[in-house]
Tab-separated table of all heavy atoms in Angstrom:
chain	number	residue	atom	x	y	z
A	83	SER	N	13.293	7.832	-15.324
A	83	SER	CA	14.739	8.205	-15.313
A	83	SER	C	15.516	7.291	-16.255
A	83	SER	O	16.363	7.745	-16.986
A	83	SER	CB	15.263	8.137	-13.856
A	83	SER	OG	14.521	9.054	-13.078
A	127	VAL	N	3.543	13.514	-11.336
A	127	VAL	CA	3.369	14.813	-10.638
A	127	VAL	C	1.926	15.258	-10.736
A	127	VAL	O	1.380	15.843	-9.818
A	127	VAL	CB	4.422	15.891	-11.102
A	127	VAL	CG1	5.833	15.315	-10.757
A	127	VAL	CG2	4.337	16.198	-12.486
A	129	VAL	N	-0.981	13.571	-11.516
A	129	VAL	CA	-1.998	12.734	-10.811
A	129	VAL	C	-1.807	12.820	-9.325
A	129	VAL	O	-2.809	13.074	-8.585
A	129	VAL	CB	-1.890	11.206	-11.246
A	129	VAL	CG1	-2.681	10.357	-10.325
A	129	VAL	CG2	-2.224	11.032	-12.686
A	147	LYS	N	1.207	22.532	-15.554
A	147	LYS	CA	1.397	22.626	-17.005
A	147	LYS	C	1.997	23.934	-17.397
A	147	LYS	O	2.632	23.933	-18.405
A	147	LYS	CB	-0.053	22.460	-17.600
A	147	LYS	CG	-0.545	21.022	-17.657
A	147	LYS	CD	0.380	20.134	-18.449
A	147	LYS	CE	-0.060	18.620	-18.427
A	147	LYS	NZ	0.841	17.833	-19.066
A	249	LEU	N	14.860	31.313	-8.833
A	249	LEU	CA	13.410	31.453	-9.057
A	249	LEU	C	12.659	30.204	-9.137
A	249	LEU	O	11.439	30.138	-8.765
A	249	LEU	CB	13.221	32.377	-10.400
A	249	LEU	CG	13.671	33.849	-10.239
A	249	LEU	CD1	13.597	34.344	-11.750
A	249	LEU	CD2	12.763	34.567	-9.379
A	330	GLU	N	-18.705	11.649	-11.811
A	330	GLU	CA	-18.272	10.648	-10.819
A	330	GLU	C	-17.128	9.938	-11.387
A	330	GLU	O	-16.654	10.193	-12.442
A	330	GLU	CB	-19.456	9.716	-10.650
A	330	GLU	CG	-20.682	10.312	-10.013
A	330	GLU	CD	-21.911	9.361	-9.869
A	330	GLU	OE1	-21.809	8.185	-10.466
A	330	GLU	OE2	-22.886	9.744	-9.217
A	441	LEU	N	0.866	34.062	-30.530
A	441	LEU	CA	-0.508	33.768	-30.449
A	441	LEU	C	-0.775	32.232	-30.413
A	441	LEU	O	-1.567	31.744	-29.532
A	441	LEU	CB	-1.258	34.292	-31.610
A	441	LEU	CG	-1.682	35.698	-31.542
A	441	LEU	CD1	-2.265	36.167	-32.927
A	441	LEU	CD2	-2.691	35.965	-30.459
Side-chain angles (χ1 to χ4, degrees):
S83 300
V127 299
V129 172
K147 285 298 178 182
L249 290 174
E330 298 175 348
L441 279 174

